[in-house]
Every structure is written in structure tokens, then in C-alpha cells.
Amino acid sequence: MTNEAFVYIVVVFIAGILSSLLCLYAYFRLKDVPGGKPYIFVTLLSAMFTFSYAFELSSTSLKKMLLWLSVEYLVLPFIPACILLMCLGYVGKKLKQWMYYFLFLPPILTIFMHGTNELHHLYYTSIKLNSDSPFPILKLEYGPWFYVHSIYFFLCFMLSVIFLLLELRKTTIFRFRMQIILMVSGIIVPIIANYFYLNDLSPYGVDLGPVSMSISFFLHGAALLSYQMFDVTPVARETVFENMKEGVIVLNQNGILIDYNSAMSDIIPILNSQSIGKSLVDVIGKEPQLAEIIVLEKECDYRLPLRDKNTYYHIRFSDVKVKNKIMKIITFIDVTERVDLQEKLQYLARIDGLTQVFNRHFFKEECERIVESQKGRYVSIIMFDIDHFKQVNDTFGHEAGDLVLAQVASIVKKCVSSRDMVGRYGGEEFILCMPDTSLKVAKEMADFIRMNIYQTDIPYMEKEIRVTSSFGVSSVLISDGDHSQTLQTLMREADQALYVAKRNGRNCVELFENIGSEFIH
């Protein structure tokens, strides 16, 4: 055996070993992923073809060479079909049942034509040893069916490349673009090698196809090991992960960001391709509340101001086991509609529908909270009602009465400050709670509201309605003790002062501290 022959045989054997190792890896790790099973078959067939060609090169007689050539052609015709199926599976396309017959019919016919070549010479017109090479090698003259097989070979390979390049245009993710580029490169290498072989440009007429397989599957191996080819295919990611309305972040067991979908770009704009490989907590350091939620893995609603309005996301955490490693999946679900509905229901539960001020129940709850916080300060209560309101209903109707109630409530809200609370106590009666307000200031506010109500004409059906109101005011300096009793006392005192105001002619303000013995129980 010459040195040249030994070198070629070693290279081909290495290619066969590499294909075998990739086949084993694919069998144990990739058989259940898209395109995985065709990849197992193509590496197995390539290994068988490569080893057979190595034995052909090591043979010294024509008879042994033809034997190994026959073995090669039991597997070689199916390689293009398996590569095409691998690429179709990778990009998420599936052939219809009848298409498989057309795909595998040419390889079967090629095996038949190659095996019966001595009867018709349609595959090889001549087979002999090359006398110009330093070691025995077959010199083949090709028949018409060989060119049919070659067309089929190139057609499958080119379709594979086309489908991959179409997928390359769709994805913008660097990792998947690299996967596709490596796969395309691995497919093109055998095409180039066969071009040299068929045009007698290869050294000594050696078939470079098996040798090119070593380069081809090295590229596929790089895609497998470095970029996890088939673990998550671009079609799966683009159609599912990228198109999810929910924002999704994927972290490894150390809290390192390894992936996120496009929806997250709106939620956390600071995320970009440079964030991959960094700690998520470090990336979102400017959002301490969100960082704390992620560190504590606290499932909750999170308010995020986006585009001049509040958007609410429900943050969920889940673990996914991938290759014996625990990945953390963080999902951001837009629950703005749900939160808005809850807030609306809460609003309706505490607001009087007609006057748009607090209802009696919620007013008392909030007043207790206010009184609790006013230790060492004055709290004042103003209670008032509309004078002779029954006459308004009897004269103009209940629709007019509702209009008057709403208008009076609107006047009061315009008069008081944002810290003061206004409530409808019942019927035509209203109540105000004024924290950190002395009796003197509360009386001035009551007079101010009374004058605004008296001076306002309320239009109704081409008429104008004017009403007056009576006020009772009480105040207390908050000290330690049962504050709920304090509030009840304040409200009772204001109500008693209001009774005196109505008894004294209405459209006036009375202070509880002034009524003394005048009040009749």
C-alpha cells in the first residue's frame, strides 16, 4: 500500500468514525426532536458508505472493489432523501403521505439499476482500474441512469438549502441564524466535492464524497454541540416562543439570562442581545421592585407605567428540567383588563352612584383610618342636608331631585381640598371629614360651601332651581384611646348641631360646642 493510499484511507476512516459518533449522539439525545430521526439515519448511512469506501480504497483487486462498491450503493442513494427530510423537519414542514413514495422511489430504482448493471450497463458503461494512479482505484464510465441519480442527488440537496435559506430570512436570532448557516455549509460541502469528482478534478480520481462527509458532519457537529441544533428549532421558537403575547424570560440555575421573547422588549426595554449571559438582577438593577420580585420568586401583580398609562402584569415562576439542568421560566401575563375591572368594582362598591361621592359604609371605614392617623391633631366633621328637599321632589319631580343632589355634591367636591373626604350619609344628607382641621377652619369651610350652594342656580327643563342647606360642625383633638368611639361621638355631635341649625331657621351653620343646653334630646 502506497503512502498516498494510506493517507486517503485514514481520512475516510476518520470521516466514518465522526459520522458514527454523531449517529450515536443523535440516537440518545435527538430522536424525539423535529428533524432528529432523519439526522440519525443520514449519519448512519453516511458512516456505512464511508467505511465501505475506505475498504474499497484498501482493496487490491477489481473483484473486491466491486464488492465494496455494491455495499456502498445499498446506502448511498438514500442519503439525499434523508438530508431533505432532516431539513424539512427542522423548519417545521411535513410531507404528505404520497410524497414519500416519490421521494424514495428514485433511490430504490438506483439500487436496482446498480445491482443489475451487468445486464444493461445503464448505470456504468465501463468499469476498470485506473492505470495512471499510484494505487489501485476504480475508473468508471457513467451510463444514463447515473445522471438520473445525480440529478436526484442535487435536487434533494438544493431543495434542502432553499428551505433553510427561507427560514434564515425569517429569524433574527443570532443563535438560530448560526445553526442554519452551519447546516447549509454542511450540505454545500458534499455538492462541491462531487462537482470535483464528476469533472475529473479530484486527485487520482478519488471520490471526494466520503472525504467531504468528514467536513460536512464536522459542521453539523459544531451546530449540535455549540448551538444545540434541534434542541429548539427556529420554527418552534418563531411560531410559538416569539409570537406569545405573554412576555417570557428563561434563566439558568444561576439566574443568568439565556433567552427572552420579543414581548419582553416592551415590558423591560433595557433587555437586548447584550443582556444574554448576564445576571437578570444586574440587568434590571434600575427596577429594584422587579428585581426583588425575581430574587424572592414572588408570584404577584406588577404595575408598569407604559406609554403614559399603567399596565399590570401577573408574574409567574416555573421550573423546567432540560438535560438534567433546572431552567427558570418567568412569565409576564398582561392582566390590565382584570385589574381595571377589579378597580372599577372596588370603585362602585365605595362610591354612591348618583352623587359620585363616597357611600356611607366606605366613608365610615376611611374616617376611622384617618382618625387613627391623626394622633395629637384636630379632626372635624361637617354634616349637612338640603333644606326642604321633599318640596323639590314634590314640585319638580324625582328626576329634578336627583339632579339637585348631584349638583350639590359637585359643588362640595370643588370647595374642599384633596385630603378631605366627602360622603353621602343618606337621602339628601351629606357628611365631610376634615383631618388636621380645627373647629374654626371647619366652620369657615361649612359657611363657604353653604354660600356656594345658595348662590348656584340649577337649570332644569327651562327652569332654575335654587336650594339652601343647613350645617352642623363638631371637632376634637385626637388622643390615645378607642378611635372608633371618637368618630361615632364626632358624627353624633355634628348631627345634633345640624338639628339645631334646622330648628333655628335653616340655611345656617351651627357648632356643637355652642348649642349647649339648647339641644333638646
Side-chain angles (χ1 to χ4, degrees), residues 5 16 42 53 82 107 110 130 247 290 309 311 314 327 337 370 379 397 402 446 475 478-479 492:
V42 76
Y53 188 66
C82 290
T110 295
N130 187 358
L290 181 57
K309 69 174 184 177
T311 303
H314 185 73
M327 300 293 181
E337 289 187 6
I370 290 173
V379 172
D402 290 345
S475 183
I478 303 298
S479 59
R492 183 174 64 252

Side-chain angles (χ1 to χ4, degrees), residues 287 289-290 293 300-304 311-315:
E287 299 287 343
Q289 182 185 357
L290 181 57
I293 291 171
C300 61
D301 290 345
Y302 176 68
R303 180 180 63 84
L304 190 68
T311 303
Y312 294 87
Y313 292 93
H314 185 73
I315 304 178

